[in-house]
Amino acid sequence: MQVNQQLLEKYNVPVPRYTSYPTIPFWNETIEIKQWENLVRNKFSNETDGISLYIHLPFCESLCTYCGCNKKITTNHQVEGEYLAAVLKEWQLYLNLMEEKPVLRELHLGGGTPTFFSPENLYKLIHSILQTVKVHPDHEFGFEGHPNNTTFEHLKTLFELGFKRVSYGIQDHNPKVQAIINRIQPIENVKKAVETARSIGYNSVNFDLIYGLPLQTVESMRTTIEQTIALQPDRIAFYSYAHVPWTSKGQRLFDEHDLPNAATKMQLYQLGKEMFSKAGYIDIGMDHFALPTDSLHEAQLNKKLHRNFMGYTTQQTQSMIGLGVSAISDIGDAFAQNEKTLHNYYEAVCNSTLAISKGIVLTNEDKHFKKYILDISCNGQTILNKEDEGIITKFVLPELEKLELDNLIELDENVLTVTPLGKHFIRNICSAFDIRLARNHIHNNQQHAQFSKAI
């Protein structure tokens, strides 16, 4: 479906990606450790669905200038042992708050570059954790890999530990674009990484692609997408490049004049959506596509999709523990983020203290509107509750009426359904339910510059 250019321009405004609600800018700059420990302890005394575990492995050998992730650039691999020891100690601090072994349903290694670490060290990390949990029979373990350094040994080692999903950070196949963002990875390396994973037995290979990078053109993007489709990844994340040099200083290393203008970026977006659809990929929502055979599409059909800081997932866990520097934990009623610097992270863990630095405990209102946003982003539908009528009437309905006029949603009494056209604007629709953002707009009469634009 080609989207009207005026509509794209109208909704190309700064909005959050809604991996959480409330979004991080509205979290408190401090959170009491004892309060967080009590919340975790209470949560796990009633936990029956199992947990998700995210481990942040921050090291990279070189700086990708587009990257907004928390990372540490080094070629010194001696850092591996100290970091993994700290992660395992942090995990033990969480285990001390649990009355019995947790059931592990989901495990994800992110970064940074997880494959910076040797296969032997990754084995020690994961094996040690698996000794302390009960692995759910329907578990999903995945990791992020760099095509240049994800070896057969990495893939084999993690596969034997239960990993069946790998996500490769591709971004773009064009050599000129790769050079300017300092991420050079020949297509031959990508092809080998995919074929090796599949030969070992991985049943889901994901590609991360980014549109809006410097030097990208419509023709170069067309070639990148053709090369991607030829390799048939099971899932594709097609992200909008977020140019935020005030928080990601590496983005200052290239000339902003090399970025595609707004009109070209919208063409890149339209092209990607069109090509993936024609190639048989299903639009899961908010930048994600999957083949009909992938479990993500099956979960979508059965309305069992979930979304958290790891993106879309098939697991319905209500608790996610984040380990490592800057990692985020989500226990349903509260969020907490770890220290963002290695020094502060190590200092906390070495003192046998959880390394959390900021977070938020959700109010009842937050929980209600978090559910609306999750329903929309995962299922494309939500039911407006009578008990929220006052807040919805004041803040939400005026926005929904505008969205309905543009045929992005349908409102039938208290049921909101996202239209096929509206699937292009999920972030904007979710934003209508962002009460904290709405109140902030009224108070400050301005939009949040720290959020990237929707398109």
Side-chain angles (χ1 to χ4, degrees):
M1 175 186 289
Q2 279 291 312
V3 184
N4 180 286
Q5 187 75 14
Q6 288 179 318
L7 210 55
L8 286 172
E9 291 173 1
K10 178 179 180 179
Y11 287 101
N12 190 29
V13 295
V15 283
R17 292 182 187 270
Y18 293 111
T19 48
S20 74
Y21 182 79
T23 54
I24 292 177
F26 293 100
W27 294 9
N28 302 316
E29 286 304 314
T30 58
I31 184 169
E32 289 188 12
I33 290 174
K34 285 295 179 189
Q35 180 189 28
W36 177 251
E37 287 178 342
N38 288 333
L39 288 165
V40 171
R41 192 180 285 111
N42 292 338
K43 180 69 174 178
F44 283 99
S45 66
N46 300 307
E47 189 57 77
T48 57
D49 296 331
I51 68 166
S52 296
L53 196 57
Y54 171 77
I55 305 175
H56 192 73
L57 302 174
F59 301 109
C60 300
E61 288 193 340
S62 61
L63 175 67
C64 301
T65 54
Y66 68 88
C67 181
C69 300
N70 185 290
K71 67 272 183 186
K72 178 74 173 176
I73 310 302
T74 181
T75 56
N76 174 20
H77 285 263
Q78 297 300 312
V79 298
E80 295 182 31
E82 179 185 16
Y83 187 78
L84 296 185
V87 168
L88 288 172
K89 186 169 184 180
E90 182 188 9
W91 174 234
Q92 186 57 53
L93 294 173
Y94 274 107
L95 288 172
N96 294 343
L97 301 174
M98 304 178 196
E99 295 176 358
E100 56 185 49
K101 279 188 176 184
V103 175
L104 184 62
R105 293 191 68 129
E106 186 176 29
L107 171 60
H108 187 76
L109 307 181
T113 307
T115 45
F116 172 96
F117 290 76
S118 71
E120 294 77 17
N121 277 333
L122 289 176
Y123 175 84
K124 289 176 188 174
L125 170 68
I126 304 303
H127 180 73
S128 298
I129 288 173
L130 294 183
Q131 300 309 300
T132 64
V133 300
K134 294 180 278 191
V135 178
H136 194 279
D138 188 28
H139 66 275
E140 184 174 283
F141 294 176
F143 74 97
E144 296 167 14
H146 192 315
N148 284 354
N149 67 12
T150 302
T151 64
F152 175 88
E153 288 74 23
H154 280 113
L155 289 159
K156 184 72 170 173
T157 298
L158 291 172
F159 182 80
E160 290 175 349
L161 288 165
F163 287 73
K164 299 292 174 63
R165 180 170 174 263
V166 58
S167 178
Y168 290 124
I170 306 300
Q171 322 321 341
D172 194 295
H173 293 303
N174 184 276
K176 289 182 180 178
V177 177
Q178 289 183 357
I180 199 170
I181 64 173
N182 198 36
R183 190 183 178 89
I184 296 170
Q185 51 192 24
I187 188 70
E188 294 78 18
N189 292 8
V190 176
K191 185 178 180 183
K192 182 181 178 183
V194 171
E195 290 175 348
T196 304
R198 288 189 168 137
S199 70
I200 289 170
Y202 284 79
N203 57 24
S204 187
V205 175
N206 177 78
F207 278 12
D208 283 351
L209 300 178
I210 296 179
Y211 66 93
L213 290 171
L215 299 187
Q216 279 181 337
T217 65
V218 172
E219 284 312 306
S220 77
M221 178 58 76
R222 186 184 304 278
T223 302
T224 282
I225 294 173
E226 286 171 349
Q227 291 172 314
T228 294
I229 290 169
L231 294 173
Q232 284 287 283
D234 302 273
R235 301 179 187 179
I236 298 168
F238 190 51
Y239 293 119
S240 167
Y241 168 65
H243 191 61
V244 286
W246 53 90
T247 59
S248 300
K249 294 179 181 177
Q251 294 180 353
R252 295 174 178 161
L253 296 176
F254 53 74
D255 190 333
E256 291 191 10
H257 293 98
D258 289 324
L259 292 170
N261 60 33
T264 302
K265 190 175 181 184
M266 289 178 191
Q267 284 181 279
L268 300 177
Y269 165 82
Q270 293 262 46
L271 179 69
K273 288 257 187 179
E274 180 185 346
M275 291 182 71
F276 295 138
S277 176
K278 284 184 177 177
Y281 285 88
I282 309 299
D283 188 348
I284 300 298
M286 235 187 282
D287 317 317
H288 285 69
F289 300 83
L291 288 174
T293 52
D294 191 82
S295 59
L296 210 57
H297 179 231
E298 184 181 339
Q300 182 191 45
L301 289 175
N302 296 326
K303 295 198 178 295
K304 290 186 176 180
L305 268 183
H306 184 55
R307 184 171 171 83
N308 56 28
F309 283 97
M310 294 184 278
Y312 283 107
T313 172
T314 61
Q315 301 296 330
Q316 291 284 329
T317 59
Q318 299 303 308
S319 302
M320 183 181 76
I321 298 297
L323 302 177
V325 62
S326 78
I328 293 173
S329 297
D330 171 4
I331 57 170
D333 296 340
F335 296 104
Q337 182 172 29
N338 281 352
E339 295 283 358
K340 291 185 177 182
T341 68
L342 281 170
H343 175 270
N344 291 347
Y345 173 73
Y346 284 146
E347 186 175 48
V349 175
C350 286
N351 289 327
S352 298
T353 304
L354 290 178
I356 60 169
S357 64
K358 65 186 296 185
I360 190 168
V361 179
L362 275 64
T363 64
N364 282 332
E365 178 188 290
D366 289 333
K367 292 174 196 174
H368 288 194
F369 285 83
K370 176 184 179 183
K371 186 177 187 306
Y372 292 134
I373 288 169
L374 275 173
D375 284 347
I376 291 164
S377 59
C378 293
N379 302 320
Q381 191 175 76
T382 194
I383 298 173
L384 309 183
N385 291 324
K386 187 76 173 174
E387 59 191 296
D388 299 321
E389 186 175 11
I391 302 171
I392 288 174
T393 300
K394 182 177 181 180
F395 293 107
V396 181
L397 272 181
E399 298 304 314
L400 296 186
E401 286 167 358
K402 297 174 193 173
L403 294 166
E404 191 170 32
L405 278 173
D406 285 328
N407 193 31
L408 305 188
I409 63 166
E410 291 176 355
L411 270 176
D412 184 7
E413 294 184 357
N414 66 332
V415 179
L416 180 152
T417 304
V418 177
T419 66
L421 178 62
K423 288 196 75 171
H424 295 263
F425 302 95
I426 294 289
R427 284 169 70 179
N428 305 87
I429 298 169
C430 289
S431 182
F433 289 87
D434 193 333
I435 301 303
R436 286 179 177 263
L437 191 63
R439 288 192 177 117
N440 187 74
H441 283 179
I442 291 170
H443 182 69
N444 295 323
N445 195 30
Q446 63 181 15
Q447 288 194 313
H448 266 278
Q450 67 260 49
F451 299 125
S452 61
K453 288 190 175 183
I455 301 160

